[in-house]
Amino acid sequence: MSDFLGYLLTGLGIGAGFALVGSGLVAIYRVTGVVNFAQGAFAVLAAMLTSTLLTAGLPHVLSELAAVAVAAVVGVLVGIVAIGKPGTDPGTSLIITLGLGVFAYAVEIVLWGDQPRSFPGLPGVATVGGARIQAHYLLILGVTVPVFLALAAFFSRTDLGKALSACASNRYAARVVGIDVRRMGLLAFALGGALGGLAGVLTTPVQQVTFDSDVTLIVNGFAAAVLGGLTRPGVALVGGLLLGVAQTLIAGYGWGAYQLEVALLLMLTVMIVQAARSGPVREAAR
């Protein structure tokens, strides 16, 4: 039983990282209609930059905050390239983000090489219900939950958040009432960059990162986000946690080679179910 509880708590910590990546995808998609396949690169960039800053002597917290801020700025730059030109359709923007994600490989190899990187997180071991886990997993959960609560408050209680939500509901109507949809899209990319960067700095102490770690992150993040139709951050949190727990249980009981396949299977199943549900709705609308 203690083993199961340990796997459960570890999975929740890992899943929280997936959820942060997924929520970044949701933040961008619900405003712009673009699936940002460079989302995982934000996490890798922030993780490697944090490692460099800590090596240079900058203390924890400052290093992580600086890295997340840089990831947000890079998010804006990706947004400028992807949606900056008027009339760019979401499909074209998707291809652009995919190309930028590949370009990020080259930049990261030039700056940091191709060897795995990590840095120390919260030290120590925590005992919960007889299960012993790294204390850093609890830190990941302790940061992720307030972040999602803050996101919910931001979108529902602030004028800026409501403007972003208006773009998500109806971009044409948002333009009519004077909301700059392009600016809101760039802000969504900045938010996506910050959330991806936060995922990177939180999970790297327990999972080493390399230049191509974004593949695993984007697959798992997308699987978490697609559970809510790429529009609901709260559902992305639930999806990420479930995915993290499922993968950890599979690895813990001897099937670790199939962790990525779990994400792909979940994503495929959800998409099939959603397509099956939307079919009757479209027929009724006709």
Side-chain angles (χ1 to χ4, degrees), residues 121-162:
L122 185 67
V125 175
T127 302
V128 180
R132 292 169 58 84
I133 63 168
Q134 294 182 52
H136 191 84
Y137 285 112
L138 300 181
L139 174 64
I140 296 173
L141 287 171
V143 173
T144 300
V145 172
V147 165
F148 273 87
L149 292 176
L151 280 175
F154 171 71
F155 282 117
S156 63
R157 297 178 181 273
T158 67
D159 291 339
L160 186 56
K162 291 177 181 178

mmCIF file of all heavy atoms in Angstrom, residues 121-162:
data_model
loop_
_atom_site.group_PDB
_atom_site.id
_atom_site.type_symbol
_atom_site.label_atom_id
_atom_site.label_comp_id
_atom_site.label_asym_id
_atom_site.label_seq_id
_atom_site.Cartn_x
_atom_site.Cartn_y
_atom_site.Cartn_z
ATOM 1 N N GLY A 121 16.686 20.683 -6.539
ATOM 2 C CA GLY A 121 15.416 21.277 -6.150
ATOM 3 C C GLY A 121 15.287 21.322 -4.649
ATOM 4 O O GLY A 121 16.275 21.482 -3.924
ATOM 5 N N LEU A 122 14.067 21.148 -4.163
ATOM 6 C CA LEU A 122 13.849 21.131 -2.722
ATOM 7 C C LEU A 122 14.450 19.860 -2.148
ATOM 8 O O LEU A 122 14.084 18.757 -2.546
ATOM 9 C CB LEU A 122 12.343 21.188 -2.423
ATOM 10 C CG LEU A 122 11.954 21.287 -0.945
ATOM 11 C CD1 LEU A 122 12.399 22.622 -0.368
ATOM 12 C CD2 LEU A 122 10.444 21.107 -0.787
ATOM 13 N N PRO A 123 15.393 19.975 -1.218
ATOM 14 C CA PRO A 123 16.055 18.768 -0.703
ATOM 15 C C PRO A 123 15.181 18.010 0.283
ATOM 16 O O PRO A 123 14.200 18.527 0.815
ATOM 17 C CB PRO A 123 17.298 19.336 -0.004
ATOM 18 C CG PRO A 123 16.883 20.706 0.432
ATOM 19 C CD PRO A 123 15.941 21.211 -0.619
ATOM 20 N N GLY A 124 15.579 16.769 0.507
ATOM 21 C CA GLY A 124 14.925 15.985 1.540
ATOM 22 C C GLY A 124 13.877 15.023 1.016
ATOM 23 O O GLY A 124 13.516 15.025 -0.160
ATOM 24 N N VAL A 125 13.413 14.198 1.934
ATOM 25 C CA VAL A 125 12.392 13.198 1.641
ATOM 26 C C VAL A 125 11.217 13.430 2.578
ATOM 27 O O VAL A 125 11.395 13.680 3.773
ATOM 28 C CB VAL A 125 12.949 11.770 1.822
ATOM 29 C CG1 VAL A 125 11.855 10.736 1.637
ATOM 30 C CG2 VAL A 125 14.097 11.521 0.856
ATOM 31 N N ALA A 126 10.011 13.369 2.025
ATOM 32 C CA ALA A 126 8.799 13.541 2.837
ATOM 33 C C ALA A 126 8.119 12.193 3.023
ATOM 34 O O ALA A 126 8.123 11.353 2.118
ATOM 35 C CB ALA A 126 7.850 14.521 2.159
ATOM 36 N N THR A 127 7.539 11.994 4.190
ATOM 37 C CA THR A 127 6.794 10.770 4.480
ATOM 38 C C THR A 127 5.315 11.116 4.592
ATOM 39 O O THR A 127 4.916 11.924 5.431
ATOM 40 C CB THR A 127 7.278 10.120 5.788
ATOM 41 O OG1 THR A 127 8.680 9.827 5.684
ATOM 42 C CG2 THR A 127 6.521 8.827 6.045
ATOM 43 N N VAL A 128 4.519 10.508 3.726
ATOM 44 C CA VAL A 128 3.074 10.762 3.697
ATOM 45 C C VAL A 128 2.362 9.417 3.760
ATOM 46 O O VAL A 128 2.471 8.609 2.827
ATOM 47 C CB VAL A 128 2.659 11.522 2.425
ATOM 48 C CG1 VAL A 128 1.148 11.775 2.440
ATOM 49 C CG2 VAL A 128 3.425 12.826 2.301
ATOM 50 N N GLY A 129 1.640 9.164 4.844
ATOM 51 C CA GLY A 129 0.907 7.914 4.975
ATOM 52 C C GLY A 129 1.784 6.677 4.902
ATOM 53 O O GLY A 129 1.364 5.635 4.392
ATOM 54 N N GLY A 130 3.020 6.797 5.341
ATOM 55 C CA GLY A 130 3.949 5.671 5.293
ATOM 56 C C GLY A 130 4.742 5.587 4.015
ATOM 57 O O GLY A 130 5.670 4.777 3.908
ATOM 58 N N ALA A 131 4.402 6.425 3.006
ATOM 59 C CA ALA A 131 5.132 6.430 1.739
ATOM 60 C C ALA A 131 6.191 7.525 1.763
ATOM 61 O O ALA A 131 5.927 8.651 2.206
ATOM 62 C CB ALA A 131 4.171 6.663 0.570
ATOM 63 N N ARG A 132 7.384 7.206 1.291
ATOM 64 C CA ARG A 132 8.481 8.173 1.242
ATOM 65 C C ARG A 132 8.684 8.622 -0.205
ATOM 66 O O ARG A 132 8.881 7.807 -1.103
ATOM 67 C CB ARG A 132 9.763 7.534 1.776
ATOM 68 C CG ARG A 132 9.722 7.232 3.265
ATOM 69 C CD ARG A 132 10.891 6.375 3.715
ATOM 70 N NE ARG A 132 12.186 6.989 3.419
ATOM 71 C CZ ARG A 132 12.784 7.895 4.186
ATOM 72 N NH1 ARG A 132 12.199 8.298 5.308
ATOM 73 N NH2 ARG A 132 13.962 8.380 3.862
ATOM 74 N N ILE A 133 8.608 9.940 -0.407
ATOM 75 C CA ILE A 133 8.815 10.508 -1.744
ATOM 76 C C ILE A 133 9.727 11.713 -1.619
ATOM 77 O O ILE A 133 9.913 12.277 -0.529
ATOM 78 C CB ILE A 133 7.492 10.943 -2.397
ATOM 79 C CG1 ILE A 133 6.828 12.070 -1.579
ATOM 80 C CG2 ILE A 133 6.541 9.764 -2.564
ATOM 81 C CD1 ILE A 133 5.680 12.739 -2.290
ATOM 82 N N GLN A 134 10.325 12.106 -2.738
ATOM 83 C CA GLN A 134 11.138 13.314 -2.747
ATOM 84 C C GLN A 134 10.255 14.512 -2.408
ATOM 85 O O GLN A 134 9.163 14.691 -2.976
ATOM 86 C CB GLN A 134 11.770 13.524 -4.121
ATOM 87 C CG GLN A 134 12.791 12.466 -4.508
ATOM 88 C CD GLN A 134 13.417 12.767 -5.848
ATOM 89 O OE1 GLN A 134 13.905 13.861 -6.095
ATOM 90 N NE2 GLN A 134 13.399 11.782 -6.744
ATOM 91 N N ALA A 135 10.741 15.366 -1.525
ATOM 92 C CA ALA A 135 9.960 16.525 -1.095
ATOM 93 C C ALA A 135 9.655 17.465 -2.258
ATOM 94 O O ALA A 135 8.656 18.193 -2.228
ATOM 95 C CB ALA A 135 10.716 17.273 -0.001
ATOM 96 N N HIS A 136 10.486 17.422 -3.293
ATOM 97 C CA HIS A 136 10.286 18.345 -4.412
ATOM 98 C C HIS A 136 8.959 18.081 -5.129
ATOM 99 O O HIS A 136 8.367 19.012 -5.692
ATOM 100 C CB HIS A 136 11.450 18.249 -5.403
ATOM 101 C CG HIS A 136 11.437 19.333 -6.431
ATOM 102 N ND1 HIS A 136 11.971 20.584 -6.209
ATOM 103 C CD2 HIS A 136 10.935 19.360 -7.694
ATOM 104 C CE1 HIS A 136 11.807 21.332 -7.283
ATOM 105 N NE2 HIS A 136 11.182 20.606 -8.199
ATOM 106 N N TYR A 137 8.491 16.830 -5.121
ATOM 107 C CA TYR A 137 7.195 16.549 -5.759
ATOM 108 C C TYR A 137 6.070 17.311 -5.060
ATOM 109 O O TYR A 137 5.123 17.786 -5.714
ATOM 110 C CB TYR A 137 6.904 15.049 -5.735
ATOM 111 C CG TYR A 137 7.710 14.265 -6.736
ATOM 112 C CD1 TYR A 137 8.696 13.371 -6.325
ATOM 113 C CD2 TYR A 137 7.490 14.409 -8.102
ATOM 114 C CE1 TYR A 137 9.440 12.639 -7.239
ATOM 115 C CE2 TYR A 137 8.228 13.685 -9.026
ATOM 116 C CZ TYR A 137 9.197 12.805 -8.589
ATOM 117 O OH TYR A 137 9.939 12.088 -9.502
ATOM 118 N N LEU A 138 6.160 17.448 -3.757
ATOM 119 C CA LEU A 138 5.158 18.212 -3.015
ATOM 120 C C LEU A 138 5.270 19.695 -3.346
ATOM 121 O O LEU A 138 4.252 20.405 -3.394
ATOM 122 C CB LEU A 138 5.320 17.983 -1.514
ATOM 123 C CG LEU A 138 5.168 16.531 -1.042
ATOM 124 C CD1 LEU A 138 5.327 16.449 0.474
ATOM 125 C CD2 LEU A 138 3.820 15.962 -1.469
ATOM 126 N N LEU A 139 6.501 20.161 -3.584
ATOM 127 C CA LEU A 139 6.678 21.555 -3.985
ATOM 128 C C LEU A 139 6.007 21.813 -5.338
ATOM 129 O O LEU A 139 5.359 22.856 -5.531
ATOM 130 C CB LEU A 139 8.169 21.893 -4.072
ATOM 131 C CG LEU A 139 8.506 23.288 -4.618
ATOM 132 C CD1 LEU A 139 7.973 24.371 -3.678
ATOM 133 C CD2 LEU A 139 10.007 23.449 -4.810
ATOM 134 N N ILE A 140 6.161 20.877 -6.268
ATOM 135 C CA ILE A 140 5.528 21.040 -7.583
ATOM 136 C C ILE A 140 4.021 21.207 -7.416
ATOM 137 O O ILE A 140 3.397 22.100 -8.008
ATOM 138 C CB ILE A 140 5.837 19.832 -8.490
ATOM 139 C CG1 ILE A 140 7.336 19.748 -8.770
ATOM 140 C CG2 ILE A 140 5.067 19.943 -9.808
ATOM 141 C CD1 ILE A 140 7.754 18.488 -9.526
ATOM 142 N N LEU A 141 3.422 20.331 -6.599
ATOM 143 C CA LEU A 141 1.980 20.434 -6.361
ATOM 144 C C LEU A 141 1.626 21.728 -5.630
ATOM 145 O O LEU A 141 0.624 22.377 -5.943
ATOM 146 C CB LEU A 141 1.505 19.235 -5.535
ATOM 147 C CG LEU A 141 1.446 17.896 -6.266
ATOM 148 C CD1 LEU A 141 1.170 16.766 -5.274
ATOM 149 C CD2 LEU A 141 0.370 17.923 -7.334
ATOM 150 N N GLY A 142 2.473 22.108 -4.681
ATOM 151 C CA GLY A 142 2.215 23.310 -3.904
ATOM 152 C C GLY A 142 2.283 24.584 -4.717
ATOM 153 O O GLY A 142 1.680 25.594 -4.340
ATOM 154 N N VAL A 143 2.992 24.563 -5.828
ATOM 155 C CA VAL A 143 3.056 25.722 -6.720
ATOM 156 C C VAL A 143 1.960 25.646 -7.780
ATOM 157 O O VAL A 143 1.317 26.653 -8.104
ATOM 158 C CB VAL A 143 4.444 25.811 -7.395
ATOM 159 C CG1 VAL A 143 4.449 26.910 -8.465
ATOM 160 C CG2 VAL A 143 5.523 26.077 -6.360
ATOM 161 N N THR A 144 1.730 24.463 -8.315
ATOM 162 C CA THR A 144 0.795 24.314 -9.435
ATOM 163 C C THR A 144 -0.633 24.654 -9.050
ATOM 164 O O THR A 144 -1.334 25.367 -9.792
ATOM 165 C CB THR A 144 0.858 22.871 -9.988
ATOM 166 O OG1 THR A 144 2.182 22.599 -10.436
ATOM 167 C CG2 THR A 144 -0.122 22.697 -11.143
ATOM 168 N N VAL A 145 -1.104 24.164 -7.912
ATOM 169 C CA VAL A 145 -2.493 24.406 -7.518
ATOM 170 C C VAL A 145 -2.782 25.901 -7.361
ATOM 171 O O VAL A 145 -3.766 26.408 -7.925
ATOM 172 C CB VAL A 145 -2.842 23.622 -6.241
ATOM 173 C CG1 VAL A 145 -4.228 24.025 -5.729
ATOM 174 C CG2 VAL A 145 -2.808 22.122 -6.518
ATOM 175 N N PRO A 146 -1.962 26.682 -6.638
ATOM 176 C CA PRO A 146 -2.221 28.123 -6.570
ATOM 177 C C PRO A 146 -2.146 28.810 -7.930
ATOM 178 O O PRO A 146 -2.877 29.773 -8.173
ATOM 179 C CB PRO A 146 -1.109 28.637 -5.635
ATOM 180 C CG PRO A 146 -0.732 27.466 -4.816
ATOM 181 C CD PRO A 146 -0.873 26.285 -5.718
ATOM 182 N N VAL A 147 -1.271 28.337 -8.819
ATOM 183 C CA VAL A 147 -1.183 28.929 -10.156
ATOM 184 C C VAL A 147 -2.504 28.764 -10.894
ATOM 185 O O VAL A 147 -3.010 29.702 -11.530
ATOM 186 C CB VAL A 147 -0.025 28.297 -10.954
ATOM 187 C CG1 VAL A 147 -0.143 28.632 -12.450
ATOM 188 C CG2 VAL A 147 1.311 28.797 -10.439
ATOM 189 N N PHE A 148 -3.102 27.583 -10.817
ATOM 190 C CA PHE A 148 -4.385 27.365 -11.498
ATOM 191 C C PHE A 148 -5.501 28.165 -10.841
ATOM 192 O O PHE A 148 -6.399 28.660 -11.539
ATOM 193 C CB PHE A 148 -4.720 25.873 -11.526
ATOM 194 C CG PHE A 148 -4.137 25.165 -12.709
ATOM 195 C CD1 PHE A 148 -2.855 24.654 -12.662
ATOM 196 C CD2 PHE A 148 -4.852 25.032 -13.881
ATOM 197 C CE1 PHE A 148 -2.297 24.010 -13.752
ATOM 198 C CE2 PHE A 148 -4.312 24.393 -14.983
ATOM 199 C CZ PHE A 148 -3.029 23.873 -14.929
ATOM 200 N N LEU A 149 -5.467 28.320 -9.529
ATOM 201 C CA LEU A 149 -6.455 29.165 -8.860
ATOM 202 C C LEU A 149 -6.288 30.621 -9.297
ATOM 203 O O LEU A 149 -7.283 31.335 -9.521
ATOM 204 C CB LEU A 149 -6.294 29.051 -7.343
ATOM 205 C CG LEU A 149 -6.666 27.696 -6.731
ATOM 206 C CD1 LEU A 149 -6.353 27.690 -5.231
ATOM 207 C CD2 LEU A 149 -8.141 27.375 -6.968
ATOM 208 N N ALA A 150 -5.038 31.057 -9.432
ATOM 209 C CA ALA A 150 -4.779 32.418 -9.894
ATOM 210 C C ALA A 150 -5.250 32.607 -11.332
ATOM 211 O O ALA A 150 -5.786 33.669 -11.691
ATOM 212 C CB ALA A 150 -3.288 32.731 -9.772
ATOM 213 N N LEU A 151 -5.043 31.596 -12.184
ATOM 214 C CA LEU A 151 -5.525 31.675 -13.556
ATOM 215 C C LEU A 151 -7.049 31.811 -13.599
ATOM 216 O O LEU A 151 -7.591 32.616 -14.367
ATOM 217 C CB LEU A 151 -5.109 30.427 -14.334
ATOM 218 C CG LEU A 151 -3.674 30.361 -14.860
ATOM 219 C CD1 LEU A 151 -3.410 29.003 -15.497
ATOM 220 C CD2 LEU A 151 -3.416 31.471 -15.870
ATOM 221 N N ALA A 152 -7.729 31.022 -12.779
ATOM 222 C CA ALA A 152 -9.188 31.087 -12.741
ATOM 223 C C ALA A 152 -9.655 32.477 -12.314
ATOM 224 O O ALA A 152 -10.587 33.046 -12.901
ATOM 225 C CB ALA A 152 -9.730 30.019 -11.802
ATOM 226 N N ALA A 153 -9.004 33.035 -11.296
ATOM 227 C CA ALA A 153 -9.367 34.376 -10.832
ATOM 228 C C ALA A 153 -9.041 35.416 -11.890
ATOM 229 O O ALA A 153 -9.807 36.373 -12.106
ATOM 230 C CB ALA A 153 -8.627 34.689 -9.529
ATOM 231 N N PHE A 154 -7.912 35.250 -12.577
ATOM 232 C CA PHE A 154 -7.507 36.195 -13.612
ATOM 233 C C PHE A 154 -8.532 36.251 -14.741
ATOM 234 O O PHE A 154 -8.952 37.330 -15.166
ATOM 235 C CB PHE A 154 -6.140 35.795 -14.161
ATOM 236 C CG PHE A 154 -5.707 36.567 -15.385
ATOM 237 C CD1 PHE A 154 -5.338 37.897 -15.294
ATOM 238 C CD2 PHE A 154 -5.675 35.947 -16.626
ATOM 239 C CE1 PHE A 154 -4.950 38.606 -16.425
ATOM 240 C CE2 PHE A 154 -5.286 36.645 -17.753
ATOM 241 C CZ PHE A 154 -4.922 37.976 -17.655
ATOM 242 N N PHE A 155 -8.965 35.093 -15.223
ATOM 243 C CA PHE A 155 -9.896 35.061 -16.348
ATOM 244 C C PHE A 155 -11.305 35.504 -15.958
ATOM 245 O O PHE A 155 -12.044 36.018 -16.801
ATOM 246 C CB PHE A 155 -9.952 33.655 -16.953
ATOM 247 C CG PHE A 155 -8.779 33.325 -17.835
ATOM 248 C CD1 PHE A 155 -7.914 32.304 -17.494
ATOM 249 C CD2 PHE A 155 -8.536 34.041 -18.995
ATOM 250 C CE1 PHE A 155 -6.827 31.995 -18.301
ATOM 251 C CE2 PHE A 155 -7.455 33.740 -19.809
ATOM 252 C CZ PHE A 155 -6.587 32.720 -19.466
ATOM 253 N N SER A 156 -11.674 35.328 -14.696
ATOM 254 C CA SER A 156 -13.059 35.624 -14.304
ATOM 255 C C SER A 156 -13.237 36.972 -13.619
ATOM 256 O O SER A 156 -14.343 37.522 -13.625
ATOM 257 C CB SER A 156 -13.580 34.520 -13.370
ATOM 258 O OG SER A 156 -12.827 34.470 -12.170
ATOM 259 N N ARG A 157 -12.153 37.538 -13.058
ATOM 260 C CA ARG A 157 -12.319 38.722 -12.215
ATOM 261 C C ARG A 157 -11.610 39.976 -12.730
ATOM 262 O O ARG A 157 -11.889 41.071 -12.228
ATOM 263 C CB ARG A 157 -11.829 38.427 -10.790
ATOM 264 C CG ARG A 157 -12.624 37.344 -10.084
ATOM 265 C CD ARG A 157 -12.075 37.064 -8.697
ATOM 266 N NE ARG A 157 -12.817 36.015 -8.016
ATOM 267 C CZ ARG A 157 -13.905 36.207 -7.295
ATOM 268 N NH1 ARG A 157 -14.367 37.443 -7.147
ATOM 269 N NH2 ARG A 157 -14.522 35.206 -6.713
ATOM 270 N N THR A 158 -10.687 39.845 -13.666
ATOM 271 C CA THR A 158 -9.958 41.029 -14.149
ATOM 272 C C THR A 158 -10.440 41.418 -15.538
ATOM 273 O O THR A 158 -10.907 40.571 -16.315
ATOM 274 C CB THR A 158 -8.444 40.767 -14.195
ATOM 275 O OG1 THR A 158 -8.155 39.785 -15.211
ATOM 276 C CG2 THR A 158 -7.939 40.243 -12.858
ATOM 277 N N ASP A 159 -10.337 42.716 -15.858
ATOM 278 C CA ASP A 159 -10.761 43.197 -17.177
ATOM 279 C C ASP A 159 -9.928 42.564 -18.284
ATOM 280 O O ASP A 159 -10.461 42.208 -19.341
ATOM 281 C CB ASP A 159 -10.632 44.726 -17.238
ATOM 282 C CG ASP A 159 -11.640 45.431 -16.336
ATOM 283 O OD1 ASP A 159 -12.670 44.792 -15.996
ATOM 284 O OD2 ASP A 159 -11.403 46.594 -15.972
ATOM 285 N N LEU A 160 -8.626 42.437 -18.028
ATOM 286 C CA LEU A 160 -7.761 41.840 -19.039
ATOM 287 C C LEU A 160 -8.119 40.379 -19.267
ATOM 288 O O LEU A 160 -8.185 39.907 -20.410
ATOM 289 C CB LEU A 160 -6.297 41.966 -18.601
ATOM 290 C CG LEU A 160 -5.227 41.528 -19.615
ATOM 291 C CD1 LEU A 160 -5.371 42.283 -20.925
ATOM 292 C CD2 LEU A 160 -3.834 41.734 -19.029
ATOM 293 N N GLY A 161 -8.359 39.666 -18.185
ATOM 294 C CA GLY A 161 -8.752 38.271 -18.312
ATOM 295 C C GLY A 161 -10.080 38.117 -19.032
ATOM 296 O O GLY A 161 -10.262 37.210 -19.854
ATOM 297 N N LYS A 162 -11.023 39.017 -18.745
ATOM 298 C CA LYS A 162 -12.313 38.966 -19.434
ATOM 299 C C LYS A 162 -12.166 39.291 -20.907
ATOM 300 O O LYS A 162 -12.894 38.736 -21.751
ATOM 301 C CB LYS A 162 -13.286 39.941 -18.762
ATOM 302 C CG LYS A 162 -13.702 39.506 -17.360
ATOM 303 C CD LYS A 162 -14.595 40.533 -16.695
ATOM 304 C CE LYS A 162 -14.977 40.096 -15.278
ATOM 305 N NZ LYS A 162 -15.807 41.119 -14.600
#
